[in-house]
Amino acid sequence: MKCHVGPEKITVGTKLAINGIVQGVGFRPFVFQRAQHYGLKGNVANTSSGVIIHIEGSEEKIQAFIQGLTEEGPPLALITKIATSYEPVRNYKEFTIQASKEASSRSTLISPDMAICDDCLRELFDPEDRRCQYPFINCTNCGPRYTIIDDIPYDRPKTSMKHFKMCLECQKEYDDPADRRFHAQPNACKICGPNVSLYDNRRTRILAGDSIKKTAELLKQGYIVAIKGLGGFHLAADAENNDAVIRLRQRKHREEKPFALMSYDLDRVRRYAHVEPDEEVLLTSPQRPVVLLKKRDPNPLPHEISPRNKNFGAMLPYTPLHYLLLHYDFTALVMTSGNISEEPISIDNDEAFERLGAIADYFLVHNRDIYLRSDDSIVRSVDEATRIIRRSRGYIPTPVFLKEEIPQVLACGAELKNTVCLTKGENAFLSQHIGDLENLETYRFLELTVRHMSRILDIDPQIVAYDLHPDYLSTRYAQEQKGIKKVAVQHHHAHIVSCMAENRLDGPVIGLSFDGTGYGTDGRIWGGEVLIVEAHRFTRAAHLAYLPMPGGAAAIKEPWRMAVSYLFNTFGKAFQDLDLPLFQGLEKDKTRVIIDMISKQVNSPQTSSLGRLFDGVAAILGIRKRVAYEGQAAMELEMAILEETEESYDYEWEREKDSYLIPVHSIIRGVVRDVENGSLVSDISAKFHTTLIRLFSELCALLRKETGLDRVALSGGVFQNATLLAGLRRSLANKGFQVFTHSIVPTNDGGISLGQAVAAAAIAKKEHS
């Protein structure tokens, strides 16, 4: 211990190295105020590793100071580690905040973009405040972070605010440790900061005294407006204007996929949707995700917003610009991603005019650059927990905290709902939603995201992980990387390891990995998998029986093809004599072609996918023969349920070598029998779901007897089905299992890169040992 004995007390010198989200969130002013409170001397500075504090005072007061750092920090701060060491007393005269310093390593965490805080919102509508109605008001507790940062440390010259020199009043706030805007990097006002402007789609500026007010008028007149926000552009329309909503669908080529809504406050959301207490918490959280809510019946909004769907996706405003716009008495605005369907959202003004000019009539833009696009996050509350469907704005780049340190890994994700993951120490950083890797634009976004995250997180991967599928663009990207170890990770193995990593589990566990498509180790399409999983390996304990998938990818977009496959497998050619809704409007020649493809094994890959079984049953019931977006048939099959049932169809499994095979013909026979007997679609769907819940919970019980394992991890896109997820979790828990699910990363392919990264590190470690 280094200390100085004074006339009244012993002075101790202490150094604190703090890691976590501690930059750009008001942490240094908080430290300053705590030091003043305890009468301590020293200094605090940002470094590219976090925050360094040198402090001198009595041992007792320093301990109280340290305790206060973790218990009373700013709302957006997140401390992950405090390293404490003694140092010589330097006899500081006061406590000061110093300029940022470079460090040999970069390990600081960056705050996500956060919704406008209550203090800024009050100022936004206060006529006496100098920032009244300024659409870029912010402070250290809110506003843009991740989308405007180019490098670390997080200081203004390394953000897109470097182009805006602060006026004297803003600079005074920025320099005052007692001010809420001390070192708030996006700090600005009407005099010195970014501004908005309105254009038509021919790039002609609309000269209006108040561009936001004029935009509100245009929306009320039925026009579509592209609005530049925090992480990219939205395409906006008045949600109560049916013609505008239909026109937006037509121009965006978005047939039926639901549009997201934004309303000014909870009272307006409640006009069209039910809001439960846990959903209110999600809606008002600083992350401001889109929350899936049950529709009111009746409600004032057009059917076209969310056709054949029981839910609306709604969010509250998260930028001051949104609040100013929605203040003009809208029940809701449609706020859908500003992109051509299947492409990344636009973030640059010129790019937006070019790509969205055929969709939007007008453009409300601003001159603060967005360095990295970030879509709205989507969540829902299921089974008393938050389930993230898309993890993006508001959540990125907060890491998943791993159980132990692993090497630096780049995991390239899957084809659909792609995200990438970069690891460093005990932190796994998932990227924002990148999208479906089916075009050049999205592939370039993946490349940009990897470069950007690698730079701001100071990660130089030693391993690159990728999916087994040889034709995925993410796989090709991984294979092109030079001078780095490459590790392939099977799709469903990665799903379960993702769940294990999120829940900080070591293996082995029983893993139920259910989705639509994943490349298997046998070259077939998997998706109804019961696995025994460790991070570095897995065994296939059971799976749905293989069936042909006639037309390959075409069967995903046309579920009637899977219906024919299941029926032909169950009844042979005699299925054509059944009286089923499937056959209404379906040409017999098309059915015969599918039978020929199956019989001759032409373009009919084998699949064990549970997602395809949902599709097939939905088509047999006449719910959906063709889909306009991924998962639509399965979603509508679940939504057909009116009440739960204890009834189930017959089911079975049989031993095949070292695993169990689950044929589905008994289930299909039961479904067809109920259809022919005139049972309601709602009852058949409920019975089908109950069958799956019982089948897989009983199969897990059998595997427990054989293996002694009593932990089950659930992962894969099929678990976006709330009925299946909640029912299976309860059934397994009632049988004495510990059940683990996702709550901070998506259960769909958006979370699979986490599992790839952790599995690849474990595989590489095992190979090395």
Side-chain angles (χ1 to χ4, degrees):
M1 178 185 295
K2 302 294 185 179
C3 60
H4 169 71
V5 180
E8 299 178 9
K9 60 185 177 179
I10 296 177
T11 299
V12 176
T14 304
K15 176 183 176 182
L16 305 176
I18 302 178
N19 298 115
I21 299 177
V22 289
Q23 293 189 18
V25 293
F27 190 74
R28 286 179 300 165
F30 166 72
V31 169
F32 176 85
Q33 291 159 13
R34 297 295 302 176
Q36 297 285 86
H37 175 76
Y38 287 108
L40 301 172
K41 313 298 183 185
N43 59 59
V44 59
N46 279 346
T47 75
S48 48
S49 297
V51 165
I52 295 292
I53 302 171
H54 298 281
I55 197 110
E56 293 179 357
S58 70
E59 183 85 42
E60 181 182 0
K61 288 185 176 181
I62 288 177
Q63 290 305 315
F65 168 82
I66 294 172
Q67 184 175 348
L69 294 182
T70 57
E71 294 179 355
E72 305 170 21
L76 300 186
L78 176 64
I79 294 175
T80 58
K81 183 178 180 181
I82 299 180
T84 306
S85 59
Y86 292 107
E87 62 182 9
V89 173
R90 302 177 185 178
N91 294 312
Y92 292 105
K93 302 300 182 185
E94 58 184 349
F95 193 90
T96 59
I97 297 176
Q98 296 194 330
S100 296
K101 302 175 180 178
E102 292 290 344
S104 58
S105 68
R106 298 177 170 201
S107 55
T108 190
L109 302 182
I110 298 162
S111 169
D113 304 289
M114 287 296 180
I116 181 173
C117 68
D118 290 342
D119 289 330
C120 286
L121 187 57
R122 280 192 293 271
E123 293 171 352
L124 183 66
F125 290 106
D126 180 1
E128 302 301 316
D129 193 276
R130 73 186 188 92
R131 290 187 177 87
C132 180
Q133 296 196 12
Y134 180 57
F136 302 95
I137 188 171
N138 67 87
C139 69
T140 54
N141 297 324
C142 67
R145 298 287 191 280
Y146 178 64
T147 53
I148 65 168
I149 188 172
D150 186 51
D151 206 346
I152 53 174
Y154 174 66
D155 285 323
R156 195 176 181 106
K158 295 184 179 181
T159 74
S160 61
M161 288 300 294
K162 64 187 177 185
H163 305 292
F164 301 95
K165 180 178 173 58
M166 282 182 282
C167 65
L168 291 177
E169 286 191 78
C170 287
Q171 188 69 51
K172 182 180 178 182
E173 295 167 334
Y174 184 89
D175 293 334
D176 182 1
D179 196 282
R180 196 173 90 248
R181 294 187 169 91
F182 175 75
H183 281 218
Q185 305 307 336
N187 188 34
C189 69
K190 297 174 184 177
I191 295 171
C192 62
N195 56 72
V196 298
S197 50
L198 181 64
Y199 294 82
D200 65 20
N201 57 11
R202 296 180 298 275
R203 306 196 190 198
T204 301
R205 185 162 185 178
I206 307 300
L207 298 176
D210 185 337
S211 295
I212 296 175
K213 181 180 180 181
K214 180 63 176 177
T215 298
E217 292 172 358
L218 292 168
L219 288 165
K220 287 181 180 292
Q221 293 167 23
Y223 290 106
I224 296 167
V225 183
I227 299 172
K228 188 177 183 180
L230 194 60
F233 276 81
H234 284 110
L235 289 164
D238 183 352
E240 291 188 287
N241 188 320
N242 188 56
D243 290 342
V245 174
I246 291 173
R247 194 160 54 249
L248 178 54
R249 280 207 178 279
Q250 292 170 340
R251 292 181 184 178
K252 192 172 160 68
H253 305 295
R254 185 168 171 144
E255 296 176 56
E256 297 181 71
K257 193 172 184 179
F259 282 139
L261 298 168
M262 181 182 283
S263 292
Y264 184 83
D265 55 22
L266 287 170
D267 288 341
R268 287 173 174 82
V269 174
R270 289 191 175 99
R271 293 179 189 176
Y272 55 84
H274 298 278
V275 181
E276 300 298 330
D278 50 348
E279 294 164 340
E280 180 175 334
V281 170
L282 291 171
L283 283 165
T284 57
S285 69
Q287 289 83 11
R288 286 293 200 282
V290 176
V291 183
L292 300 190
L293 306 170
K294 186 178 179 181
K295 291 179 180 177
R296 284 194 177 276
D297 186 17
N299 68 75
L301 302 184
H303 169 77
E304 285 295 325
I305 288 174
S306 184
R308 296 182 66 171
N309 197 305
K310 290 184 177 180
N311 299 322
F312 284 125
M315 59 182 155
L316 296 182
Y318 52 87
T319 71
L321 188 154
H322 293 150
Y323 270 105
L324 292 170
L325 184 59
L326 283 155
H327 196 246
Y328 289 98
D329 197 28
F330 293 94
T331 295
L333 290 177
V334 168
M335 293 287 270
T336 189
S337 298
N339 61 349
I340 300 169
S341 290
E342 311 308 329
E343 292 186 3
I345 57 172
S346 296
I347 58 174
D348 176 77
N349 293 348
D350 289 335
E351 173 200 28
F353 280 117
E354 184 70 27
R355 293 172 58 197
L356 306 179
I359 303 175
D361 301 301
Y362 292 91
F363 288 75
L364 183 66
V365 303
H366 60 72
N367 57 343
R368 184 180 69 201
D369 291 336
I370 300 170
Y371 282 157
L372 205 61
R373 55 177 57 85
S374 191
D375 283 90
D376 295 319
S377 296
I378 305 174
V379 306
R380 70 185 303 191
S381 181
V382 176
D383 199 26
E384 301 180 348
T386 300
R387 312 294 177 179
I388 295 184
I389 297 169
R390 183 166 75 197
R391 187 175 186 262
S392 204
R393 177 193 49 77
Y395 297 94
I396 301 300
T398 304
V400 176
F401 299 108
L402 304 176
K403 187 174 183 179
E404 60 186 14
E405 290 191 3
I406 66 173
Q408 295 189 6
V409 180
L410 164 63
C412 298
E415 185 85 336
L416 301 180
K417 300 178 178 65
N418 181 269
T419 63
V420 297
C421 180
L422 287 154
T423 64
K424 187 175 187 179
E426 297 177 351
N427 297 325
F429 300 92
L430 272 77
S431 74
Q432 69 277 42
H433 171 76
I434 292 173
D436 296 347
L437 287 175
E438 297 177 337
N439 54 63
L440 181 59
E441 290 78 9
T442 311
Y443 183 78
R444 286 174 174 166
F445 181 27
L446 178 144
E447 293 179 312
L448 172 65
T449 301
V450 172
R451 289 196 303 271
H452 189 89
M453 289 184 67
S454 298
R455 180 171 68 253
I456 65 174
L457 299 171
D458 191 32
I459 294 176
D460 184 15
Q462 304 162 27
I463 300 167
V464 60
Y466 59 94
D467 194 276
L468 283 179
H469 199 300
D471 295 329
Y472 280 0
L473 289 179
S474 56
T475 299
R476 293 182 182 181
Y477 173 82
Q479 297 283 18
E480 290 170 1
Q481 305 311 300
K482 307 297 184 185
I484 184 171
K485 182 177 178 61
K486 300 176 180 67
V487 178
V489 181
Q490 198 279 326
H491 191 92
H492 301 94
H493 180 207
H495 265 308
I496 300 303
V497 176
S498 173
C499 185
M500 292 167 63
E502 176 180 334
N503 289 283
R504 300 167 72 87
L505 300 177
D506 291 323
V509 302
I510 299 171
L512 303 185
S513 188
F514 300 155
D515 61 7
T517 301
Y519 196 83
T521 54
D522 59 2
R524 296 175 177 178
I525 299 170
W526 293 8
E529 311 307 312
V530 183
L531 311 174
I532 306 299
V533 178
E534 298 177 75
H536 68 285
R537 65 180 179 183
F538 74 95
T539 56
R540 199 179 188 196
H543 63 89
L544 292 181
Y546 287 118
L547 267 86
M549 191 172 159
I556 299 173
K557 297 182 178 180
E558 298 182 345
W560 69 267
R561 293 170 178 256
M562 287 309 305
V564 170
S565 184
Y566 287 113
L567 291 169
F568 184 49
N569 174 71
T570 303
F571 299 99
K573 290 186 178 180
F575 85 88
Q576 296 174 89
D577 299 325
L578 298 171
D579 183 16
L580 298 173
L582 167 70
F583 299 126
Q584 295 174 12
L586 186 62
E587 299 173 15
K588 288 187 177 181
D589 286 347
K590 287 189 174 182
T591 303
R592 283 194 288 269
V593 169
I594 296 301
I595 294 172
D596 283 345
M597 291 175 67
I598 293 171
S599 300
K600 298 174 182 177
Q601 301 181 16
V602 176
N603 192 21
S604 297
Q606 298 285 306
T607 182
S608 62
S609 166
L610 184 57
R612 299 289 79 81
L613 179 60
F614 270 89
D615 286 353
V617 171
I620 289 170
L621 298 181
I623 292 174
R624 177 65 62 173
K625 297 173 189 173
R626 295 173 178 80
V627 298
Y629 57 91
E630 193 230 349
Q632 185 180 18
M635 188 185 304
E636 292 182 5
L637 176 62
E638 181 199 3
M639 288 183 179
I641 299 171
L642 298 179
E643 58 183 3
E644 294 181 0
T645 181
E646 290 298 313
E647 293 185 66
S648 66
Y649 296 114
D650 292 336
Y651 53 86
E652 60 197 301
W653 54 75
E654 55 196 46
R655 192 78 187 183
E656 185 190 65
K657 296 181 181 179
D658 296 327
S659 65
Y660 290 98
L661 189 68
I662 308 167
V664 298
H665 52 258
S666 295
I667 299 174
I668 297 298
R669 283 187 187 277
V671 168
V672 169
R673 183 171 57 250
D674 278 355
V675 172
E676 292 188 319
N677 289 339
S679 297
L680 297 175
V681 168
S682 58
D683 293 340
I684 297 173
S685 179
K687 199 170 173 180
F688 173 70
H689 280 76
T690 300
T691 303
L692 296 178
I693 290 166
R694 288 184 176 172
L695 189 166
F696 287 108
S697 57
E698 290 179 15
L699 188 54
C700 286
L702 173 63
L703 292 174
R704 178 170 56 189
K705 289 181 181 179
E706 296 179 355
T707 65
L709 301 177
D710 66 352
R711 297 181 300 168
V712 180
L714 311 180
S715 189
V718 169
F719 284 112
Q720 290 180 168
N721 181 313
T723 303
L724 184 67
L725 173 62
L728 194 50
R729 191 202 63 78
R730 286 195 297 267
S731 179
L732 287 165
N734 288 339
K735 291 182 181 296
F737 284 98
Q738 298 180 66
V739 186
F740 299 91
T741 60
H742 291 282
S743 61
I744 60 174
V745 301
T747 191
N748 59 37
D749 283 2
I752 205 169
S753 58
L754 171 63
Q756 287 179 343
V758 174
I763 291 168
K765 181 179 180 180
K766 202 71 176 178
E767 289 176 352
H768 182 71
S769 63

